[in-house]
Amino acid sequence: MRALVVGGAGFIGSHLCDALLEEGHAVICMDNLSLGTRDNIAHLEENGNFCFYEADASQPEDVKKIFEDEHIEYVFHLAANSDIQASAENPEVEYRNTYTTTFQILLAMKKYNVKRLFFASTSAVYGDKQDVLLVEDTPGLAPISYYGAAKLGSEALIHAFTYMNDLKTLVFRFPNVIGPRLTHGVIFDFIRKLRKDSTHLRILGDGRQTKPYIYVTDLINAIMWFQGKAESGVSIYNVGVEGTTSVTAIADIMCEEMKLSEVVYEYTGGEGGWKGDVPHFQYCIDKIHNAGWKAIHTSDEAVRETIRQNIGGECV
Protein backbone atom coordinates (compact mmCIF):
# COMPACT_ATOMS: atom_id res chain seq x y z
CA MET A 1 0.00 0.00 0.00
CA ARG A 2 1.20 3.53 -0.81
CA ALA A 3 0.11 5.61 2.16
CA LEU A 4 0.15 9.40 2.40
CA VAL A 5 0.49 10.60 6.01
CA VAL A 6 -0.51 14.27 6.09
CA GLY A 7 1.11 15.81 9.16
CA GLY A 8 3.51 12.86 9.25
CA ALA A 9 6.36 14.71 10.98
CA GLY A 10 4.17 15.59 13.93
CA PHE A 11 3.83 13.91 17.30
CA ILE A 12 1.14 11.40 16.30
CA GLY A 13 1.92 11.31 12.59
CA SER A 14 5.54 10.28 13.06
CA HIS A 15 4.47 7.31 15.19
CA LEU A 16 2.00 6.34 12.47
CA CYS A 17 4.78 6.49 9.86
CA ASP A 18 6.79 4.09 12.06
CA ALA A 19 3.91 1.62 12.27
CA LEU A 20 3.07 1.69 8.57
CA LEU A 21 6.70 1.11 7.60
CA GLU A 22 6.97 -1.76 10.08
CA GLU A 23 4.08 -3.43 8.22
CA GLY A 24 5.91 -3.03 4.92
CA HIS A 25 3.91 -0.18 3.41
CA ALA A 26 5.39 2.65 1.35
CA VAL A 27 4.98 5.90 3.29
CA ILE A 28 4.82 9.37 1.80
CA CYS A 29 5.11 11.88 4.64
CA MET A 30 3.81 15.42 4.07
CA ASP A 31 4.29 18.15 6.67
CA ASN A 32 4.79 21.94 6.66
CA LEU A 33 6.80 21.67 9.93
CA SER A 34 4.66 24.24 11.73
CA LEU A 35 4.36 21.81 14.66
CA GLY A 36 6.10 18.72 13.33
CA THR A 37 9.90 18.47 13.18
CA ARG A 38 12.51 16.75 11.05
CA ASP A 39 13.86 15.21 14.26
CA ASN A 40 10.67 13.15 14.61
CA ILE A 41 11.32 11.40 11.29
CA ALA A 42 15.14 11.56 11.09
CA HIS A 43 15.38 7.84 11.90
CA LEU A 44 13.26 7.07 8.81
CA GLU A 45 15.20 9.09 6.23
CA GLU A 46 17.33 6.12 5.09
CA ASN A 47 14.35 3.78 4.73
CA GLY A 48 13.78 3.07 1.04
CA ASN A 49 10.02 2.88 1.59
CA PHE A 50 9.87 6.38 3.11
CA CYS A 51 9.93 9.78 1.48
CA PHE A 52 9.31 13.21 2.96
CA TYR A 53 7.81 16.34 1.41
CA GLU A 54 8.08 19.62 3.26
CA ALA A 55 4.79 20.88 1.90
CA ASP A 56 1.61 22.59 3.07
CA ALA A 57 -1.64 20.65 2.77
CA SER A 58 -3.62 23.91 2.70
CA GLN A 59 -1.93 24.84 -0.59
CA PRO A 60 -3.50 23.25 -3.72
CA GLU A 61 -0.25 23.11 -5.70
CA ASP A 62 1.61 21.33 -2.90
CA VAL A 63 -1.13 18.73 -2.60
CA LYS A 64 -1.45 18.30 -6.37
CA LYS A 65 2.25 17.57 -6.82
CA ILE A 66 2.25 14.77 -4.26
CA PHE A 67 -0.88 13.10 -5.60
CA GLU A 68 0.41 13.31 -9.16
CA ASP A 69 3.88 11.99 -8.39
CA GLU A 70 3.24 9.37 -5.73
CA HIS A 71 0.14 7.38 -6.85
CA ILE A 72 -1.45 7.47 -3.40
CA GLU A 73 -3.73 4.58 -2.35
CA TYR A 74 -4.64 5.53 1.23
CA VAL A 75 -4.67 8.94 2.94
CA PHE A 76 -4.09 9.32 6.68
CA HIS A 77 -5.02 12.93 7.42
CA LEU A 78 -3.55 14.14 10.72
CA ALA A 79 -2.61 17.68 9.74
CA ALA A 80 -4.10 20.23 12.13
CA ASN A 81 -3.23 22.94 14.58
CA SER A 82 -3.39 20.72 17.66
CA ASP A 83 -2.26 23.43 20.09
CA ILE A 84 -5.73 24.65 21.11
CA GLN A 85 -4.49 27.40 23.43
CA ALA A 86 -2.31 28.90 20.69
CA SER A 87 -5.19 29.20 18.23
CA ALA A 88 -7.33 31.05 20.78
CA GLU A 89 -5.38 34.18 19.88
CA ASN A 90 -5.51 33.57 16.12
CA PRO A 91 -8.52 31.58 14.82
CA GLU A 92 -7.20 31.91 11.28
CA VAL A 93 -4.64 29.23 12.17
CA GLU A 94 -7.46 26.69 12.54
CA TYR A 95 -9.10 27.74 9.28
CA ARG A 96 -5.85 27.28 7.39
CA ASN A 97 -4.18 24.31 9.14
CA THR A 98 -7.21 22.28 10.25
CA TYR A 99 -10.16 23.05 7.95
CA THR A 100 -8.53 24.10 4.66
CA THR A 101 -6.11 21.18 4.75
CA THR A 102 -9.09 18.83 4.89
CA PHE A 103 -10.80 20.50 1.93
CA GLN A 104 -7.68 20.40 -0.24
CA ILE A 105 -6.95 16.77 0.60
CA LEU A 106 -10.53 15.77 -0.23
CA LEU A 107 -10.41 17.65 -3.53
CA ALA A 108 -7.24 15.80 -4.47
CA MET A 109 -8.73 12.45 -3.47
CA LYS A 110 -11.69 13.19 -5.74
CA LYS A 111 -9.49 14.24 -8.66
CA TYR A 112 -7.06 11.31 -8.40
CA ASN A 113 -9.69 8.70 -7.48
CA VAL A 114 -8.29 7.78 -4.05
CA LYS A 115 -10.97 5.92 -2.12
CA ARG A 116 -9.63 5.28 1.40
CA LEU A 117 -9.29 7.89 4.13
CA PHE A 118 -8.44 8.03 7.81
CA PHE A 119 -9.22 11.31 9.59
CA ALA A 120 -7.96 12.30 13.03
CA SER A 121 -10.84 14.08 14.77
CA THR A 122 -11.29 14.97 18.42
CA SER A 123 -13.53 14.86 21.46
CA ALA A 124 -13.59 18.68 21.17
CA VAL A 125 -16.32 18.40 18.50
CA TYR A 126 -18.82 17.57 21.26
CA GLY A 127 -18.35 20.85 23.08
CA ASP A 128 -18.97 21.36 26.79
CA LYS A 129 -21.49 18.60 27.58
CA GLN A 130 -20.40 17.69 31.10
CA ASP A 131 -23.61 15.92 32.07
CA VAL A 132 -23.96 13.88 28.87
CA LEU A 133 -22.43 10.49 28.09
CA LEU A 134 -20.71 11.24 24.79
CA VAL A 135 -21.50 8.58 22.20
CA GLU A 136 -20.68 8.81 18.51
CA ASP A 137 -24.21 9.91 17.56
CA THR A 138 -24.66 12.44 20.39
CA PRO A 139 -26.96 15.15 18.98
CA GLY A 140 -26.39 18.89 19.01
CA LEU A 141 -22.61 19.03 18.67
CA ALA A 142 -21.49 22.51 19.69
CA PRO A 143 -17.71 23.00 19.95
CA ILE A 144 -16.48 25.79 22.24
CA SER A 145 -12.94 26.03 20.80
CA TYR A 146 -11.87 27.10 17.33
CA TYR A 147 -10.02 23.79 17.08
CA GLY A 148 -13.17 21.78 17.80
CA ALA A 149 -15.16 23.87 15.33
CA ALA A 150 -12.61 23.34 12.54
CA LYS A 151 -12.57 19.61 13.21
CA LEU A 152 -16.37 19.40 13.17
CA GLY A 153 -16.46 21.39 9.94
CA SER A 154 -13.91 18.97 8.52
CA GLU A 155 -16.10 16.05 9.53
CA ALA A 156 -19.00 17.64 7.64
CA LEU A 157 -16.87 17.99 4.50
CA ILE A 158 -15.74 14.40 4.86
CA HIS A 159 -19.31 13.13 5.08
CA ALA A 160 -20.24 14.95 1.88
CA PHE A 161 -17.14 13.91 -0.09
CA THR A 162 -17.50 10.33 1.14
CA TYR A 163 -21.10 10.14 -0.07
CA MET A 164 -20.47 11.89 -3.38
CA ASN A 165 -17.34 9.89 -4.24
CA ASP A 166 -18.03 6.48 -2.66
CA LEU A 167 -15.15 6.61 -0.20
CA LYS A 168 -14.31 4.27 2.65
CA THR A 169 -13.65 6.64 5.53
CA LEU A 170 -12.57 6.02 9.11
CA VAL A 171 -12.92 8.87 11.64
CA PHE A 172 -11.45 8.64 15.12
CA ARG A 173 -12.47 11.11 17.81
CA PHE A 174 -9.85 10.92 20.52
CA PRO A 175 -9.05 12.81 23.73
CA ASN A 176 -5.64 14.06 24.92
CA VAL A 177 -2.88 12.02 23.27
CA ILE A 178 0.43 11.78 25.11
CA GLY A 179 3.73 9.90 24.88
CA PRO A 180 7.21 10.21 23.33
CA ARG A 181 7.79 13.22 21.02
CA LEU A 182 5.18 15.29 22.87
CA THR A 183 5.27 18.97 21.82
CA HIS A 184 2.75 20.74 24.05
CA GLY A 185 0.10 20.20 26.71
CA VAL A 186 -0.01 19.95 30.48
CA ILE A 187 2.73 17.32 30.88
CA PHE A 188 5.07 19.15 28.52
CA ASP A 189 4.42 22.43 30.36
CA PHE A 190 4.84 20.97 33.85
CA ILE A 191 8.21 19.40 33.01
CA ARG A 192 9.51 22.68 31.61
CA LYS A 193 8.25 24.65 34.62
CA LEU A 194 9.72 22.26 37.19
CA ARG A 195 13.07 22.15 35.43
CA LYS A 196 13.16 25.93 35.72
CA ASP A 197 11.92 26.07 39.34
CA SER A 198 11.70 22.79 41.26
CA THR A 199 10.02 24.40 44.29
CA HIS A 200 6.94 25.95 42.68
CA LEU A 201 4.38 24.90 40.06
CA ARG A 202 1.75 27.22 38.58
CA ILE A 203 -1.37 25.25 37.55
CA LEU A 204 -4.07 26.71 35.30
CA GLY A 205 -7.60 26.48 36.70
CA ASP A 206 -8.49 24.74 39.95
CA GLY A 207 -6.56 21.54 39.18
CA ARG A 208 -9.74 19.45 39.15
CA GLN A 209 -10.03 19.38 35.37
CA THR A 210 -10.31 15.66 34.70
CA LYS A 211 -9.91 13.98 31.31
CA PRO A 212 -8.87 10.70 29.71
CA TYR A 213 -5.30 10.59 28.40
CA ILE A 214 -4.43 8.02 25.74
CA TYR A 215 -0.89 6.79 25.12
CA VAL A 216 0.20 7.44 21.55
CA THR A 217 1.16 3.84 20.76
CA ASP A 218 -2.30 2.69 21.85
CA LEU A 219 -3.86 5.18 19.45
CA ILE A 220 -1.56 4.04 16.63
CA ASN A 221 -2.45 0.41 17.32
CA ALA A 222 -6.13 1.36 16.95
CA ILE A 223 -5.50 3.08 13.62
CA MET A 224 -3.57 0.07 12.33
CA TRP A 225 -6.21 -2.33 13.62
CA PHE A 226 -9.03 -0.59 11.75
CA GLN A 227 -7.32 0.82 8.64
CA GLY A 228 -7.98 -2.30 6.59
CA LYS A 229 -11.47 -2.84 7.93
CA ALA A 230 -13.23 0.39 6.90
CA GLU A 231 -16.50 -0.15 5.03
CA SER A 232 -18.10 2.09 2.43
CA GLY A 233 -19.29 5.34 3.97
CA VAL A 234 -18.09 7.02 7.16
CA SER A 235 -17.31 4.98 10.28
CA ILE A 236 -16.85 7.07 13.43
CA TYR A 237 -15.33 5.83 16.68
CA ASN A 238 -14.58 7.41 20.03
CA VAL A 239 -11.07 6.17 20.81
CA GLY A 240 -10.28 6.31 24.49
CA VAL A 241 -9.00 4.57 27.59
CA GLU A 242 -10.15 3.28 30.95
CA GLY A 243 -10.27 6.00 33.59
CA THR A 244 -9.46 9.69 33.70
CA THR A 245 -6.74 11.79 35.32
CA SER A 246 -7.03 15.19 36.99
CA VAL A 247 -4.52 17.98 36.46
CA THR A 248 -3.54 17.86 40.12
CA ALA A 249 -2.99 14.10 39.85
CA ILE A 250 -0.68 14.74 36.89
CA ALA A 251 1.28 17.20 39.02
CA ASP A 252 1.49 14.65 41.85
CA ILE A 253 2.74 11.90 39.51
CA MET A 254 5.19 14.37 38.00
CA CYS A 255 6.67 15.31 41.38
CA GLU A 256 6.87 11.64 42.38
CA GLU A 257 8.71 10.65 39.19
CA MET A 258 11.04 13.68 39.39
CA LYS A 259 11.61 12.96 43.11
CA LEU A 260 10.46 16.41 44.20
CA SER A 261 8.81 16.37 47.62
CA GLU A 262 8.21 20.02 48.55
CA VAL A 263 6.72 21.62 45.45
CA VAL A 264 4.17 24.36 46.19
CA TYR A 265 1.17 24.32 43.82
CA GLU A 266 -0.27 27.69 42.79
CA TYR A 267 -3.72 27.49 41.15
CA THR A 268 -4.91 30.31 38.91
CA GLY A 269 -8.54 29.48 39.77
CA GLY A 270 -11.65 28.80 37.74
CA GLU A 271 -13.07 25.53 36.52
CA GLY A 272 -11.34 25.45 33.13
CA GLY A 273 -7.67 25.92 32.41
CA TRP A 274 -8.28 28.41 29.58
CA LYS A 275 -11.03 29.82 27.38
CA GLY A 276 -12.29 26.96 25.23
CA ASP A 277 -11.11 24.25 27.62
CA VAL A 278 -13.65 21.50 28.45
CA PRO A 279 -12.78 20.65 32.07
CA HIS A 280 -14.75 17.39 32.31
CA PHE A 281 -16.48 15.00 29.94
CA GLN A 282 -17.85 11.46 29.93
CA TYR A 283 -16.54 9.57 26.93
CA CYS A 284 -18.30 6.38 25.86
CA ILE A 285 -15.93 3.90 24.19
CA ASP A 286 -18.30 0.91 24.04
CA LYS A 287 -18.49 0.99 20.24
CA ILE A 288 -14.76 0.55 19.67
CA HIS A 289 -14.50 -2.05 22.43
CA ASN A 290 -17.32 -4.03 20.86
CA ALA A 291 -15.46 -3.85 17.55
CA GLY A 292 -12.53 -5.67 19.12
CA TRP A 293 -10.01 -3.01 20.18
CA LYS A 294 -9.00 -1.86 23.67
CA ALA A 295 -6.17 0.34 24.91
CA ILE A 296 -3.33 -1.30 26.83
CA HIS A 297 -2.67 1.67 29.13
CA THR A 298 -5.18 3.26 31.49
CA SER A 299 -5.23 7.05 31.65
CA ASP A 300 -3.03 7.15 34.78
CA GLU A 301 -0.60 4.63 33.28
CA ALA A 302 -0.35 6.70 30.09
CA VAL A 303 0.44 9.81 32.15
CA ARG A 304 3.11 8.08 34.23
CA GLU A 305 4.78 6.44 31.23
CA THR A 306 4.79 9.73 29.30
CA ILE A 307 6.40 11.54 32.23
CA ARG A 308 9.08 8.85 32.51
CA GLN A 309 9.79 9.04 28.77
CA ASN A 310 10.14 12.81 28.79
CA ILE A 311 12.05 13.42 32.01
CA GLY A 312 14.61 10.89 30.86
CA GLY A 313 15.88 13.40 28.30
CA GLU A 314 15.01 16.76 26.87
CA CYS A 315 11.31 17.58 26.76
CA VAL A 316 11.12 18.78 23.18
Side-chain angles (χ1 to χ4, degrees):
M1 176 178 74
R2 296 187 62 77
L4 172 63
V5 182
V6 189
F11 164 48
I12 300 172
S14 61
H15 286 281
L16 179 58
C17 289
D18 291 342
L20 288 165
L21 288 166
E22 285 173 8
E23 283 201 356
H25 302 295
V27 174
I28 297 90
C29 173
M30 177 184 192
D31 203 296
N32 67 0
L33 302 183
S34 59
L35 286 174
T37 69
R38 292 295 291 261
D39 288 344
N40 285 342
I41 54 172
H43 62 291
L44 303 177
E45 300 273 358
E46 300 302 317
N47 190 315
N49 283 328
F50 177 81
C51 67
F52 171 66
Y53 287 82
E54 184 175 345
D56 191 334
S58 71
Q59 300 303 309
E61 291 305 312
D62 286 4
V63 176
K64 177 183 176 183
K65 175 176 174 51
I66 292 173
F67 274 81
E68 282 187 348
D69 292 351
E70 296 294 345
H71 309 290
I72 305 301
E73 297 175 299
Y74 202 129
V75 175
F76 295 85
H77 178 23
L78 293 90
N81 174 63
S82 55
D83 190 347
I84 303 176
Q85 292 188 63
S87 69
E89 297 299 321
N90 183 14
E92 186 178 341
V93 172
E94 297 296 355
Y95 177 72
R96 181 177 65 252
N97 291 350
T98 305
Y99 183 79
T100 305
T101 56
T102 303
F103 184 64
Q104 294 301 334
I105 290 296
L106 289 168
L107 279 180
M109 290 182 68
K110 178 180 185 298
K111 180 175 181 179
Y112 295 96
N113 199 34
V114 181
K115 295 297 185 181
R116 294 189 291 172
L117 171 68
F118 168 82
F119 178 66
S121 191
T122 169
S123 59
V125 301
Y126 293 110
D128 191 3
K129 295 180 180 294
Q130 297 187 35
D131 299 322
V132 177
L133 181 62
L134 301 176
V135 295
E136 287 81 357
D137 57 356
T138 295
L141 303 186
I144 62 170
S145 66
Y146 301 128
Y147 171 72
K151 284 290 191 180
L152 184 57
S154 294
E155 284 194 21
L157 284 174
I158 286 168
H159 274 276
F161 272 82
T162 297
Y163 177 81
M164 295 297 293
N165 300 283
D166 300 317
L167 306 184
K168 293 181 178 180
T169 299
L170 181 63
V171 175
F172 278 3
R173 294 172 178 164
F174 41 78
N176 298 59
V177 186
I178 55 177
R181 306 175 198 163
L182 196 64
T183 59
H184 58 272
V186 61
I187 293 175
F188 184 84
D189 290 342
F190 281 2
I191 292 174
R192 291 175 62 181
K193 288 176 179 177
L194 288 170
R195 281 178 173 162
K196 185 175 181 180
D197 180 356
S198 62
T199 66
H200 171 264
L201 181 62
R202 185 172 183 265
I203 299 175
L204 299 180
D206 60 12
R208 291 182 289 186
Q209 307 97 298
T210 304
K211 305 171 186 179
Y213 292 81
I214 186 169
Y215 199 66
V216 65
T217 54
D218 283 338
L219 174 60
I220 298 303
N221 287 340
I223 296 172
M224 298 302 293
W225 173 270
F226 282 95
Q227 57 92 9
K229 300 178 173 64
E231 301 176 350
S232 296
V234 179
S235 301
I236 299 177
Y237 292 93
N238 289 340
V239 183
V241 300
E242 298 290 349
T244 57
T245 310
S246 72
V247 172
T248 295
I250 292 173
D252 290 342
I253 296 170
M254 182 83 66
C255 292
E256 179 184 337
E257 291 295 331
M258 295 181 77
K259 304 188 185 315
L260 303 173
S261 60
E262 297 183 0
V263 179
V264 175
Y265 296 168
E266 175 201 347
Y267 297 98
T268 63
E271 188 178 22
W274 62 87
K275 190 77 169 179
D277 182 28
V278 178
H280 310 279
F281 64 90
Q282 301 178 72
Y283 208 34
C284 180
I285 51 178
D286 289 348
K287 181 178 178 181
I288 199 164
H289 284 177
N290 291 336
W293 178 87
K294 189 174 183 179
I296 294 172
H297 301 81
T298 65
S299 182
D300 284 352
E301 289 169 349
V303 167
R304 188 174 295 276
E305 183 62 25
T306 299
I307 291 169
R308 287 174 176 172
Q309 289 278 348
N310 284 283
I311 65 175
E314 291 298 318
C315 185
V316 295

